[in-house]
């Protein structure tokens, strides 16, 4: 993906020391999947409003920044412990707890899907009622914390329904930066996604491979991490399905990657993790 000259120019200013990098904010995003007709994973994408000051007009996965209340130690919890998550996310236990809570909270806020149940062995089957929508709106507006929401409904966070996929740090020259952990999850049986996000203009389920294809054709606008994630999951899922993606996530841990400017023909592009270069090269062959 060629880097616009305006961004390349800003990047050169940072490299020359004439600009100061913004402090990144911790964030979580969730690649919500379901099996398509052929068994390959479909992913849930939101197109952000073009007026948004970060990734305006881009197709993204549900997610957002960590809220201070996501650090609450009293949150009802089932599945891998914060210590286990910390080892895989490369963070402290407090940050790991907050990231997992943010992943679940943001997924509910932006898709209506809730990764929680009355015990460690079940998951909520339907969140489409008016009472659920009222709670979702209260969470989104920060009138209600995730801990209070779960406690009031007698639910526990099903952290075992999440897997970890990757970690991306916004390039140093961007004015607004995030340190984002990418999680994966399967749409729970009985639940449905809904177009509820106030930050998106439309939502869609697409086969992960088709989403990457549409981005290549210029039909979808995506930031590089979203595109590369769709490409990787689409390639793996074509053979192993959603179960294969989740199984692969169980073997992963996060090393945060920050794209840097590198030459591309007569211009510039952003670097990518070395393990993803063969996938991209195969598409360009």
């Amino acid at each position: 993906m060629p880097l616009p000259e305006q961004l390349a120019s800003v990047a050169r200013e940072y490299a020359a020391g004439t600009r100061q990098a913004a402090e990144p904010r911790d964030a979580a995003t969730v690649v919500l999947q379901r099996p398509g007709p052929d068994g390959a994973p479909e992913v849930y994408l939101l197109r952000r409003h073009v007026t948004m000051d970060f990734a305006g007009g881009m197709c993204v996965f549900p997610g957002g920044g960590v809220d201070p209340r996501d650090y609450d130690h009293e949150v009802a919890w089932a599945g891998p412990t914060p210590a286990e998550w910390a080892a895989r996310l490369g963070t402290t236990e407090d940050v790991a707890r907050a990231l997992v809570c943010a992943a679940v909270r943001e997924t509910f806020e932006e898709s209506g899907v809730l990764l929680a149940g009355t015990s460690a062995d079940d998951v909520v089957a339907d969140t489409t009622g008016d009472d659920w929508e009222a709670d979702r709106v209260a969470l989104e507006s920060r009138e209600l914390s995730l801990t209070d929401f779960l406690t009031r409904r007698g639910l526990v966070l099903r952290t075992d329904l999440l897997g970890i996929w990757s970690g991306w740090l916004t390039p140093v020259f961007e004015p607004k930066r995030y340190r984002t952990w990418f999680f994966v999850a399967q749409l729970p049986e009985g639940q449905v996604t809904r177009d509820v996000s106030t930050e998106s203009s439309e939502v869609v389920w697409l086969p992960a491979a088709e989403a990457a294809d549409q981005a290549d054709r210029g039909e979808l606008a995506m930031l590089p991490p979203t595109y590369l994630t769709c490409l990787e999951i689409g390639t793996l899922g074509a053979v192993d399905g959603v179960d294969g993606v989740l199984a692969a996530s169980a073997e992963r841990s996060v090393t945060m990657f920050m794209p840097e400017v590198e030459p591309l023909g007569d211009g510039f592009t952003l670097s990518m993790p070395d393990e993803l270069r063969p996938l991209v090269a195969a598409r360009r062959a």
Side-chain angles (χ1 to χ4, degrees):
M1 297 181 183
L3 191 67
E5 175 53 35
Q6 180 182 0
L7 286 181
S9 176
V10 173
R12 286 191 288 268
E13 292 179 24
Y14 276 104
T18 57
R19 281 181 180 253
Q20 182 135 5
E23 184 65 27
R25 179 185 177 189
D26 286 345
T29 192
V30 177
V31 187
L32 195 60
Q33 306 166 82
R34 69 182 185 189
D38 61 354
E42 296 181 343
V43 295
Y44 186 72
L45 292 165
L46 307 91
R47 192 188 304 271
R48 288 169 63 86
H49 290 295
V50 295
T51 54
M52 300 292 290
D53 61 355
F54 183 81
M58 296 288 179
C59 283
V60 298
F61 306 117
V66 171
D67 184 85
R69 290 182 295 180
D70 291 330
Y71 287 89
D72 191 346
H73 286 231
E74 301 302 316
V75 65
W77 189 282
T81 65
E84 291 173 298
W85 276 109
R88 297 184 59 202
L89 299 179
T91 67
T92 64
E93 288 187 36
D94 279 351
V95 171
R97 180 186 290 104
L99 287 167
V100 170
C101 287
V104 173
R105 176 181 53 75
E106 287 283 348
T107 299
F108 183 54
E109 289 178 13
E110 297 200 330
S111 74
V113 170
L114 182 61
L115 303 177
T118 57
S119 72
D121 300 316
D122 74 351
V123 63
V124 172
D126 183 11
T127 61
T128 59
D130 291 343
D131 56 332
W132 287 103
E133 176 61 10
D135 282 346
R136 190 199 64 79
V137 171
L139 277 170
E140 189 175 42
S141 66
R142 301 300 180 263
E143 294 175 14
L144 181 66
S145 72
L146 181 64
T147 298
D148 291 342
F149 165 61
L150 295 173
T151 299
R152 191 171 70 190
R153 285 191 171 268
L155 300 174
V156 297
L157 212 61
R158 286 289 306 276
T159 74
D160 57 309
L161 299 180
L162 286 169
I164 188 60
W165 197 251
S166 59
W168 291 82
L169 177 59
T170 309
V172 69
F173 55 82
E174 291 279 7
K176 196 167 188 177
R177 303 179 67 215
Y178 291 92
R179 186 185 295 106
T180 305
W181 281 259
F182 280 60
F183 294 85
V184 292
Q186 183 169 355
L187 177 68
E189 186 176 352
Q191 292 197 39
V192 295
T193 51
R194 295 178 289 129
D195 187 358
V196 292
S197 174
T198 58
E199 295 183 356
S200 66
S201 57
E202 61 179 311
V203 300
V204 66
W205 279 101
L206 275 179
E210 173 61 19
D213 289 343
Q214 289 191 24
D216 280 336
R217 296 194 298 264
E219 297 168 7
L220 286 182
M222 290 182 179
L223 293 173
T226 310
Y227 168 78
L228 291 169
T229 300
C230 286
L231 178 57
E232 189 179 14
I233 286 177
T235 302
L236 174 63
V239 178
D240 299 324
V242 173
D243 288 344
V245 174
L246 295 176
S249 75
E251 306 298 322
R252 294 195 172 202
S253 58
V254 169
T255 299
M256 196 62 57
F257 180 82
M258 186 184 75
E260 297 181 351
V261 175
E262 60 181 30
L264 176 69
D266 295 332
F268 299 93
T269 188
L270 291 176
S271 63
M272 70 183 78
D274 289 340
E275 63 269 21
L276 297 183
R277 291 182 184 272
L279 284 179
V280 175
R283 294 176 76 80
R284 305 293 184 261

